[in-house]
Amino acid sequence: MALARLLTFLGREQHSEEILRRLTPPARPARVVAVTGSAGVGKSTLIGKMLEVIRGQGESVAVLACDPQSPLSGGALLGDRFRMPTNPQDAGVLIRSLSTPGGHGAITESLGAMIRLLEAFPFDVVLIETVGAGQGDTTVRDLADVLVLLVQPETGDDLQWEKAGVLEVADVVVIHKADLPGADRVEAQVRSMLTLSQRAPAIVRVSARATEGLATLWQTIKQCPLRRLAAEPTQGLLKLAQQTLQTWFTQAQRTQSAALQAILERWERGELSASETGAAVCRFLVESSHPRS
């Protein structure tokens, strides 16, 4: 219950800086796995089955399930967790539904900060479920170690795969509902598209309904390198850039420096990716040099 309240505070940005400042760094990072795909592809059902596999191996797991927010009422159904059957008495599992407005790359804005909190608690595995994602919704990759893309039979033609940007950044592609007709054709389409890419993600056929391929999928995910660890040198360079930029501002420019500090603090809380932080800082410097009339 205490963790649930902390997640609520982070989601509302209440005391978020104080919470993150007091976190004890985990002895080892969690494995953060993002599951994405179009609406109706079965993300929630698959994650529910993966929970059983992960807990069967003795690892604790938290799920952050992003639910679409209504543009009219501002509400969200928050029903993803009902497709994830768990034992309420199992302290090794936490499932949190997150209301997610449009225009945020299919994830909630405070997701990075929530991941840091769950790692410090600590959980061994953090699973992220995006809302129904489009071809250009790749933001979640910056927060996860492994990006799992779900596709299913009879949901598009060859031209759709040609345009699928998320396919190019996926680490694992799951042919979901593989017990349905057309699974062979979809797999052939994916493999054909991937021959045009320099990356070679693993392709796994899974049927959550028939409980087939789940153990193979989790083993494939565990074999993927932890991308966030590999990105640590980049984080160090950004820290150096932060210190360098701060020295550029004189005593008379404290107001502008505070605006820059706000950008950098969002990056430190995990609300902005490295690329988003760099772009925001560049925009800030340009606007500071050429103020609008």
Side-chain angles (χ1 to χ4, degrees), residues 121-251:
F121 211 72
F123 283 90
D124 300 315
V125 178
V126 177
L127 298 178
I128 303 168
E129 179 188 354
T130 72
V131 300
Q135 296 156 341
D137 291 324
T138 60
T139 305
V140 70
R141 184 176 187 270
D142 294 331
L143 300 176
D145 294 306
V146 182
L147 177 59
V148 179
L149 171 65
L150 269 61
V151 299
Q152 68 179 32
E154 309 302 335
T155 55
D157 54 20
D158 294 350
L159 181 60
Q160 294 301 314
W161 297 117
E162 296 289 340
K163 299 185 296 183
V166 69
L167 182 64
E168 298 175 346
V169 299
D171 299 294
V172 181
V173 178
V174 173
I175 312 299
H176 197 212
K177 306 179 183 179
D179 54 328
L180 297 179
D184 291 339
R185 180 172 179 268
V186 170
E187 181 176 354
Q189 290 177 0
V190 172
R191 292 188 182 279
S192 176
M193 179 59 189
L194 292 175
T195 59
L196 305 177
S197 173
Q198 296 179 349
R199 302 180 70 253
I203 299 176
V204 182
R205 294 177 63 144
V206 176
S207 172
R209 183 178 62 177
T211 62
E212 297 175 352
L214 294 165
T216 300
L217 171 59
W218 183 239
Q219 186 61 33
T220 301
I221 291 172
K222 292 181 69 173
Q223 290 173 352
C224 293
L226 299 179
R227 180 167 37 244
R228 294 178 305 145
L229 285 181
E232 282 185 353
T234 302
Q235 300 294 328
L237 289 174
L238 281 174
K239 196 68 175 179
L240 177 61
Q242 173 186 356
Q243 297 169 355
T244 302
L245 286 168
Q246 292 287 23
T247 64
W248 290 1
F249 295 92
T250 64
Q251 187 79 6

Side-chain angles (χ1 to χ4, degrees), residues 1-285:
M1 291 177 65
L3 177 56
R5 294 181 67 184
L6 287 173
L7 288 169
T8 298
F9 284 140
L10 286 180
R12 296 175 180 171
E13 297 190 356
Q14 287 181 298
H15 316 298
S16 58
E17 293 184 16
E18 179 66 19
I19 293 171
L20 296 176
R21 185 163 52 247
R22 293 192 178 195
L23 292 182
T24 301
R28 60 185 178 88
R31 184 179 300 275
V32 181
V33 180
V35 179
T36 190
S38 60
V41 76
K43 298 184 293 293
S44 300
T45 302
L46 178 66
I47 289 176
K49 295 296 184 180
M50 287 176 61
L51 286 174
E52 299 175 4
V53 175
I54 297 169
R55 290 298 290 142
Q57 297 183 7
E59 295 183 292
S60 59
V61 55
V63 179
L64 297 174
C66 298
D67 268 305
Q69 184 181 91
S70 169
L72 300 179
S73 67
L77 182 60
L78 303 181
D80 286 343
R81 62 179 176 267
F82 292 111
R83 298 189 183 94
M84 304 175 188
T86 58
N87 178 6
Q89 304 303 318
D90 186 356
V93 175
L94 179 138
I95 301 175
R96 178 76 171 200
S97 293
L98 305 171
S99 178
T100 307
H104 289 77
I107 56 175
T108 190
E109 190 173 3
S110 56
L111 192 63
M114 291 184 178
I115 291 171
R116 287 181 57 189
L117 176 61
L118 293 173
E119 284 189 297
F121 211 72
F123 283 90
D124 300 315
V125 178
V126 177
L127 298 178
I128 303 168
E129 179 188 354
T130 72
V131 300
Q135 296 156 341
D137 291 324
T138 60
T139 305
V140 70
R141 184 176 187 270
D142 294 331
L143 300 176
D145 294 306
V146 182
L147 177 59
V148 179
L149 171 65
L150 269 61
V151 299
Q152 68 179 32
E154 309 302 335
T155 55
D157 54 20
D158 294 350
L159 181 60
Q160 294 301 314
W161 297 117
E162 296 289 340
K163 299 185 296 183
V166 69
L167 182 64
E168 298 175 346
V169 299
D171 299 294
V172 181
V173 178
V174 173
I175 312 299
H176 197 212
K177 306 179 183 179
D179 54 328
L180 297 179
D184 291 339
R185 180 172 179 268
V186 170
E187 181 176 354
Q189 290 177 0
V190 172
R191 292 188 182 279
S192 176
M193 179 59 189
L194 292 175
T195 59
L196 305 177
S197 173
Q198 296 179 349
R199 302 180 70 253
I203 299 176
V204 182
R205 294 177 63 144
V206 176
S207 172
R209 183 178 62 177
T211 62
E212 297 175 352
L214 294 165
T216 300
L217 171 59
W218 183 239
Q219 186 61 33
T220 301
I221 291 172
K222 292 181 69 173
Q223 290 173 352
C224 293
L226 299 179
R227 180 167 37 244
R228 294 178 305 145
L229 285 181
E232 282 185 353
T234 302
Q235 300 294 328
L237 289 174
L238 281 174
K239 196 68 175 179
L240 177 61
Q242 173 186 356
Q243 297 169 355
T244 302
L245 286 168
Q246 292 287 23
T247 64
W248 290 1
F249 295 92
T250 64
Q251 187 79 6
Q253 293 173 311
R254 282 187 173 177
T255 301
Q256 292 182 335
S257 183
L260 173 65
Q261 186 64 34
I263 296 173
L264 297 172
E265 286 175 353
R266 290 191 65 195
W267 161 63
E268 291 175 345
R269 293 197 299 266
E271 296 175 4
L272 294 177
S273 67
S275 59
E276 290 171 335
T277 302
V281 169
C282 287
R283 284 195 302 271
F284 170 79
L285 294 175

